[in-house]
Amino acid sequence: MNYHELDPSAYGWELPAGWKLYAYEPGGEPAILKATYELTEGCVAVVEAHVHAPYNGPTRVTLLAESEDAANQSDGITTEMMRSVPLGEARKVITYWVNRIRSELSPESLPAPLPERISTPEDYARVASEYVRLVKSNERRPIEVMAQAWGVSKNTASSRLRRAREKGYLIQMEHSQNRLSAILSEKAEEILTRLNKEGC
């Protein structure tokens, strides 16, 4: 697929060295992050991530011997080359920039803000609501997304979610085809309906 390269500075961004930003079509929004890592002379790994994928990690990793000489010297792509792809480093870059791009260009897709301390029925209904929304959007790491958006640890976000479930605001369903599944309880639905009417 032919992506269209974008200038990150047009958005006030400066990507790390080696990383580029693309759209699916001319004039489109930032959608793809891509980096090229040189593994050995003439052999590279291209790491690609899609901004709106339901996970924060590479979507595709391609190893290339860019010349016949390079391929001959290494005898093609080797196991050692595959192991040398810096996926840990790439994942850190992707996680940071995917969340930054989403927050700046699609803030409506992020979990709603919450108070520092979660204690009221309204708070727990909102926690449950955000989890259900993320799960329904096929987000595979909803707790991590919530933690990052709220500026708390994954353990804290998980604890909030567990209490919302224990207090009867969230009903966790059986996993379906390896996907998370959850619904709001009637109690949570009633609270959220009231908050919407009150404009809260």
Side-chain angles (χ1 to χ4, degrees), residues 5-157:
E5 188 172 353
L6 301 173
D7 179 3
S9 66
Y11 301 89
W13 302 333
E14 184 178 351
L15 298 180
W19 286 85
K20 294 184 178 181
L21 186 65
Y22 297 85
Y24 291 122
E25 56 191 11
E29 292 287 327
I32 302 108
L33 290 162
K34 190 183 290 189
T36 300
Y37 292 96
E38 185 170 345
L39 305 179
T40 61
E41 187 174 349
C43 294
V44 300
V46 179
V47 179
E48 180 179 315
H50 289 233
V51 171
H52 297 291
Y55 46 81
N56 290 332
T59 306
R60 179 182 300 154
V61 178
T62 307
L63 273 64
L64 300 169
E66 295 190 308
S67 68
E68 187 174 337
D69 286 344
N72 288 335
Q73 286 180 5
S74 64
D75 198 23
I77 301 297
T78 65
T79 302
E80 288 73 20
M81 284 184 196
M82 295 175 69
R83 288 175 178 160
S84 68
V85 178
L87 286 179
E89 175 187 330
R91 183 175 289 277
K92 288 179 182 177
V93 173
I94 292 166
T95 297
Y96 173 80
W97 281 99
V98 161
N99 286 315
R100 180 168 176 180
I101 292 169
R102 287 176 182 170
S103 66
E104 293 188 22
L105 299 185
S106 305
E108 69 282 355
S109 69
L110 298 176
L114 287 174
E116 187 174 337
R117 296 183 64 82
I118 305 301
S119 58
T120 68
E122 290 78 10
D123 294 339
Y124 284 111
R126 288 188 177 108
V127 168
S129 176
E130 291 302 337
Y131 180 78
V132 169
R133 184 181 68 82
L134 288 168
V135 167
K136 285 184 176 179
S137 71
N138 294 323
E139 172 61 60
R140 297 184 185 181
R141 301 163 69 197
I143 294 176
E144 290 189 29
V145 172
M146 293 163 80
Q148 291 167 355
W150 293 333
V152 299
S153 70
K154 183 179 176 181
N155 286 342
T156 297

Side-chain angles (χ1 to χ4, degrees), residues 163-171 184-188:
R163 288 197 296 271
R165 195 163 43 239
E166 291 171 349
K167 291 176 179 291
Y169 298 97
L170 176 69
I171 301 171
L184 292 172
S185 68
E186 287 186 15
K187 179 166 65 171

